[in-house]
Amino acid sequence: MSLTVLGIETSCDETAAAVVRDGGLLSSVIASQVAQHRPFGGVVPEIASRQHLELIQPTVEEALSLAGVAKGALDGVAFTNGPGLLGALLVGSTYGKALAFGLRIPFVGVNHILAHVHAAFLAEEPRFPLLALVVSGGHSDLVRFHAPLSVEVIGHSLDDAAGEAFDKVARVLGLPYPGGPRLEELARSMEGEGASLPQIRLGPDHPFDFSFSGLKTAAVRAHEAGASPAAVAKAFQERAISHLVETTLRALSDGDAMLVVAGGVSANTALRRAFEDALPKRRVVFPPAGMSTDNAAMVARIGWEELREGHTSPLDLVPEPLVRPFR
Ligand code: KG4
Ligand code: ZN
């Protein structure tokens, strides 16, 4: 049965809408709020909520129009229900519910972390079981998928998320928000040796977990001690990437048909290259260009899987700001 799903994403600072039909992407629109948050050096929750309110309607209309799909032709609506900022999540969930209710079609609230992994399924058909590394501003998780919606959490960050550490170090180095991509550019510009930073080591009790706060502090100390921003950026990025790659490869088993690396930090070219160098071709898959960071295509993609399994949410569903990737 053909199924056309509208996806809505408002968990943080991007207002996004997308249309997926039968697992394939018809349109994806992202209205970024970066300019509004930049003067404050990070996302201001109240500004994010207000921006979502202003942007949600035109963003949804544009996604439908680009897809050539009338509202009446939709079979379902999916929106991010968590994790994320409560006020921001409320805008997308309330809009999604109201739209679906008015159209008399089902809706489903989806998990943002698992949605990041589904972005990669828009690039390549998934083969199960698969291991997924989700590295974003809020989460660093290793998750095994036994099926599109059946997951087992293998490891997670014991402190900062990878993207959060990139952003905090970038801020100390004087780079504008959002810091992760700027830190990558600065690291690339460094021709010589990077600063001297320790390797991240976790004990045998945490073979599949991550930790970034020690590395972050060491980077800040190196900067205070006079290392150049480019040298700190280069060393920080190298250490963070080797920690991510080594931990993930330890968790990857011969039984895993593929590895997916998703979430905002998976936009990092050096990280992608490190995984591609370590693994044979087609074993590692990333989201399509522009879909590592927050978008609604991933929400529509996982929503399509949920709705075709008959999973729907009730009208009194409440957003879950802190939900982990458990089902
Ligand atoms: O997935 P995402 O858009 O939002 C969350 O769900 O958190 O991830 C945003 C994070 C930010 O911390 C941002 O700095 C980081 O992803 N990021 C990067 C790069 N592009 C985005 N970090 C390192 N290198 C990049 N090229
Ligand atoms: Zn995200």
Side-chain angles (χ1 to χ4, degrees):
M1 190 187 68
S2 182
L3 210 57
T4 306
V5 177
L6 171 72
I8 297 173
E9 158 62 36
T10 65
S11 68
C12 191
D13 60 345
E14 318 277 11
T15 314
V19 181
V20 159
R21 177 175 288 154
D22 303 334
L25 185 63
L26 297 186
S27 69
S28 174
V29 177
I30 303 173
S32 175
Q33 308 176 2
V34 165
Q36 279 75 26
H37 297 286
R38 182 165 287 144
F40 304 94
V43 178
V44 182
E46 183 59 25
I47 293 179
S49 309
R50 287 165 192 258
Q51 284 291 309
H52 286 309
L53 272 176
E54 276 186 30
L55 294 168
I56 184 92
Q57 174 80 11
T59 305
V60 167
E61 296 289 348
E62 192 182 341
L64 289 170
S65 145
L66 284 176
V69 169
K71 283 196 185 83
L74 288 173
D75 298 301
V77 176
F79 52 81
T80 298
N81 201 53
L85 302 167
L86 179 59
L89 289 166
L90 270 169
V91 177
S93 67
T94 309
Y95 187 94
K97 283 181 195 177
L99 181 64
F101 188 75
L103 293 170
R104 297 177 208 279
I105 56 175
F107 62 86
V108 62
V110 306
N111 182 295
H112 181 86
I113 302 173
L114 303 183
H116 268 298
V117 178
H118 279 248
F121 303 165
L122 292 164
E124 180 141 343
E125 271 299 302
R127 306 183 297 280
F128 298 100
L130 63 81
L131 184 69
L133 168 68
V134 190
V135 266
S136 70
H139 300 269
S140 302
D141 292 296
L142 274 171
V143 183
R144 182 160 286 118
F145 280 66
H146 297 284
L149 301 172
S150 163
V151 303
E152 176 194 352
V153 177
I154 306 291
H156 61 95
S157 177
L158 302 177
D159 39 61
D160 290 9
E164 187 182 357
F166 266 85
D167 291 345
K168 285 180 180 166
V169 172
R171 200 195 305 205
V172 169
L173 298 180
L175 301 172
Y177 160 85
R182 302 302 183 103
L183 190 147
E184 179 182 7
E185 278 168 30
L186 187 61
R188 200 180 307 128
S189 74
M190 176 74 192
E191 304 253 317
E193 282 275 296
S196 166
L197 294 182
Q199 221 165 350
I200 305 169
R201 288 198 196 287
L202 292 182
D205 291 349
H206 297 283
F208 308 133
D209 291 328
F210 304 103
S211 167
F212 293 97
S213 72
L215 176 64
K216 178 189 70 185
T217 306
V220 173
R221 296 277 175 273
H223 175 62
E224 286 168 355
S228 76
V232 173
K234 182 173 182 176
F236 170 82
Q237 178 169 280
E238 274 173 10
R239 292 299 195 205
I241 288 177
S242 64
H243 180 48
L244 286 167
V245 173
E246 280 164 23
T247 309
T248 303
L249 294 184
R250 206 175 302 130
L252 186 68
S253 84
D254 289 345
D256 290 316
M258 60 200 263
L259 170 68
V260 169
V261 182
V265 182
S266 75
N268 187 290
T269 313
L271 178 72
R272 287 187 176 216
R273 198 168 311 129
F275 274 113
E276 282 167 348
D277 287 349
L279 291 169
K281 228 177 162 41
R282 291 202 62 232
R283 183 119 162 90
V284 57
V285 176
F286 305 95
M291 291 185 195
S292 283
T293 45
D294 289 349
N295 65 85
M298 65 187 201
V299 175
R301 178 63 173 70
I302 194 171
W304 168 74
E305 294 276 11
E306 297 269 17
L307 290 166
R308 75 178 179 144
E309 287 294 318
H311 302 165
T312 60
S313 298
L315 208 50
D316 60 0
L317 179 79
V318 288
E320 295 181 274
L322 298 175
V323 70
R324 306 270 313 147
F326 301 124
R327 290 194 52 79

